Amino acid sequence: MAGRHPDPAAKSAVALVACPDYDETRVLAALRRGVDLLGGIQGFAGSGDRLLLKPNILVGALPQKHVTTHPAVLRAMGLLLQETGARVRFGDSPGFGNAIAAAARAGLAEVAAAIGMEQADLATPGQVSFNEALIAKQLVLSRAALEADGIISLAKMKTHGFMRITGAVKNQFGCVPGIRKGEYHVKMPRAEHFAAMLVDINRYLRSRLYVLDGIVAMEGNGPGSGTPRRMNVLLLSSDPVALDAVFCRLVHLPVAFVPTMKPGAESGLGTWNDDEIEVRGDEISALACPDFKVVRRPAVEFDRSFPYYLKKWITPRPFIDPALCRQCGVCTEVCPLEPKAVRPLPGRPGTTPAYDYARCIRCYCCQEMCPHGAIAIRRPLLSRLIHR
Ligand code: SF4
Ligand code: SF4
């Protein structure tokens, strides 16, 4: 597949637009400005185009939790696209639970209905072959994503235990239907392989535009249980690697710690190199948050052959705080392994689950999806000694 830069001298443009809050009028004005900085909405949509808006609906969480793309961002982008005469739907496939209920709880269904935008069903799978893939030559993706004329990605600026950040590139993993996501984790437990698969999904789907909602981001124990952090920024680009690289610059995170950067650049999906990125709009230094709480270390890699004693002592592992656990069983349900690596002890159903760290592949799906913020990722002592 061709890279995004047939002209090697061309730079990837990233629009960086300040926006102080989620007031609908201000968000619409900020997004319009961002799109204009990239050449205008006509460059991304045309009359009659069947477009899919892909927000991040990790789980059905209230907007004020800042787990999901904010409804004001979905509304504004929907209105901008509708101005072109495009037919726009929105949808995501959450990692757990019912997509319609999740979109309603996140406040997305209501704003979409108000502007005449239907919710697409992303649960129906379609299988595609991708010979140019880095790693995932067979992909199972949502039919709605495959059949759209174009996708506009509406990602949320958050931390992520496995990939360090979830921004533009990671957001498209939601185009894998529901529990199929777990199969990818099992097949690709190494961060570098998983990152290459994410890049493959982005290369195959070729979204027209990526928007990153960072007006209020999430730091710390993201992507589901972190702390909201006001960043007052929206980022837009047709290059998801460049957009994530600007996210890194905003929070002073070295791009080398984000596993999607290297395969993203090498495959031609985009660039993380500052010399190849043109930031347009507001000053990055005025909006930077150097103390943003994100893991500032490379991912510790291991696979199943990795000796258990090393895995146990080096790899950060999920940990349940019994005081916060409500014994809901979501972590057991989303664990992609069979038998599960986190579950109540035998003979004690309905109790706080326990980990089998010898089997756990450290995908952190349990931490990501715990609805009560009871799971954190802890570094074993040896890991802390190696990377201070
Ligand atoms: S998902 Fe969270 S609250 Fe639910 S059982 Fe697991 S640790 Fe406890
Ligand atoms: S226990 Fe958690 S981190 Fe371990 S494999 Fe299961 S979901 Fe992944």
Side-chain angles (χ1 to χ4, degrees):
M1 173 171 289
R4 284 192 175 265
H5 301 289
D7 173 4
K11 289 190 175 189
S12 284
V14 178
L16 185 147
V17 181
C19 187
D21 55 37
Y22 287 110
D23 173 84
E24 288 185 346
T25 305
R26 281 192 280 274
V27 172
L28 179 58
L31 269 186
R32 190 185 296 282
R33 180 174 166 237
V35 167
D36 287 347
L37 286 164
L38 299 178
I41 195 66
Q42 307 295 341
F44 303 104
S47 181
D49 285 0
R50 294 167 308 133
L51 301 181
L52 176 69
L53 268 176
K54 160 65 181 78
N56 182 329
I57 315 180
L58 175 74
V59 289
L62 297 172
Q64 54 269 35
K65 298 274 187 188
H66 298 290
V67 171
T68 52
T69 305
H70 197 277
V73 176
L74 178 74
R75 174 185 177 276
M77 203 65 220
L79 287 173
L80 288 177
L81 294 168
Q82 287 174 345
E83 287 176 7
T84 69
R87 290 176 288 162
V88 191
R89 299 194 296 166
F90 83 100
D92 188 15
S93 179
F96 175 77
N98 176 287
I100 290 179
R105 187 165 168 77
L108 298 166
E110 187 181 343
V111 297
I115 62 169
M117 192 163 62
E118 289 179 5
Q119 184 169 356
D121 168 23
L122 268 65
T124 306
Q127 179 139 1
V128 292
S129 299
F130 185 22
N131 291 335
E132 296 89 355
L134 295 171
I135 190 165
K137 298 200 183 299
Q138 296 293 318
L139 284 165
V140 177
L141 296 168
S142 154
R143 278 207 174 283
L146 293 170
E147 290 170 2
D149 293 330
I151 299 174
I152 310 293
S153 174
L154 297 182
K156 185 77 179 173
M157 183 182 278
K158 297 188 291 181
T159 53
H160 192 273
F162 197 30
M163 294 288 108
R164 295 292 179 261
I165 59 168
T166 170
V169 173
K170 174 69 176 56
N171 189 44
Q172 299 310 79
F173 193 46
C175 293
V176 174
I179 57 170
R180 297 280 186 139
K181 295 181 186 67
E183 295 171 15
Y184 284 86
H185 278 290
V186 173
K187 282 185 196 155
M188 284 162 261
R190 293 179 69 102
E192 64 181 300
H193 295 163
F194 193 81
M197 177 274 297
L198 293 176
V199 166
D200 284 340
I201 288 176
N202 278 266
R203 290 168 68 219
Y204 192 86
L205 291 174
R206 299 181 71 100
S207 294
R208 294 181 181 183
L209 175 66
Y210 297 81
V211 178
L212 188 58
D213 168 12
I215 297 174
V216 179
M218 178 179 279
E219 63 180 359
N221 192 29
S225 304
T227 307
R229 175 74 188 258
R230 185 164 287 281
M231 300 278 291
N232 298 335
V233 69
L234 291 164
L235 299 177
L236 300 87
S237 183
S238 56
D239 177 341
V241 183
L243 189 150
D244 284 348
V246 174
F247 174 7
C248 289
R249 280 172 66 184
L250 276 167
V251 300
H252 290 209
L253 175 68
V255 292
F257 295 168
V258 178
T260 50
M261 293 291 175
K262 186 164 175 274
E266 289 176 353
S267 67
L269 176 65
T271 180
W272 50 261
N273 187 335
D274 286 351
D275 295 339
E276 297 171 359
I277 298 172
E278 181 188 350
V279 179
R280 300 176 182 171
D282 293 315
E283 275 298 317
I284 194 165
S285 56
L287 295 161
C289 285
D291 61 344
F292 188 85
K293 292 185 180 59
V294 59
V295 175
R296 298 173 194 279
R297 293 182 304 278
V300 177
E301 295 287 0
F302 76 95
D303 59 25
R304 284 159 207 269
S305 62
F306 208 80
Y308 172 56
Y309 65 92
L310 281 179
K311 186 198 296 185
K312 180 179 175 186
W313 291 110
I314 293 177
T315 314
R317 60 190 184 185
F319 172 85
I320 297 175
D321 181 343
L324 296 177
C325 176
R326 298 199 202 165
Q327 295 91 36
C328 67
V330 168
C331 53
T332 304
E333 195 162 329
V334 300
C335 177
L337 299 180
E338 285 297 343
K340 305 289 186 180
V342 58
R343 54 182 174 171
L345 293 171
R348 299 183 63 192
T351 56
T352 295
Y355 282 101
D356 179 349
Y357 288 120
R359 302 192 65 256
C360 170
I361 58 173
R362 275 38 167 201
C363 68
Y364 310 123
C365 290
C366 50
Q367 175 262 347
E368 199 169 320
M369 304 306 294
C370 172
H372 303 295
I375 306 180
I377 299 172
R378 280 195 176 172
R379 297 172 64 204
L381 178 63
L382 192 53
S383 165
R384 280 180 269 154
L385 291 173
I386 294 171
H387 297 290
R388 285 174 183 276

